[in-house]
Amino acid sequence: MESHSHLFFDCHFSSLVWKQVFTRNGIARPVEPLAQELNWAVHHRKGKNLRDSLYNLSLAASIYTLWG
């Protein structure tokens, strides 16, 4: 059985998905393991502005897509 971290961030396909999410949201940084990604999102995208809302929607949609 594979871990959540592998399925959502470490495997090749999911890594490509996250790179696109980051690029389309103007984020220039590498994809990190699950705990670091969640920590980054909580500390950097917690606002109510459009940019943060779009990132949060992208995050939720990507997780939903990768889960399915």
Side-chain angles (χ1 to χ4, degrees):
M1 182 175 272
E2 298 184 50
S3 70
H4 288 106
S5 184
H6 176 78
L7 291 173
F8 288 111
F9 297 96
D10 299 334
C11 79
H12 181 70
F13 178 75
S14 61
S15 182
L16 292 174
V17 169
W18 290 117
K19 288 176 185 176
Q20 283 297 307
V21 169
F22 287 179
T23 299
R24 292 173 188 263
N25 282 278
I27 300 168
R29 63 179 193 78
V31 178
E32 303 281 343
L34 177 59
Q36 286 90 336
E37 286 301 334
L38 294 175
N39 186 46
W40 186 90
V42 166
H43 288 94
H44 292 91
R45 296 292 188 221
K46 59 185 175 184
K48 300 290 184 191
N49 60 46
L50 181 60
R51 180 178 172 187
D52 290 349
S53 295
L54 288 174
Y55 174 76
N56 291 332
L57 286 170
S58 298
L59 181 68
S62 298
I63 289 172
Y64 180 81
T65 300
L66 291 170
W67 187 263

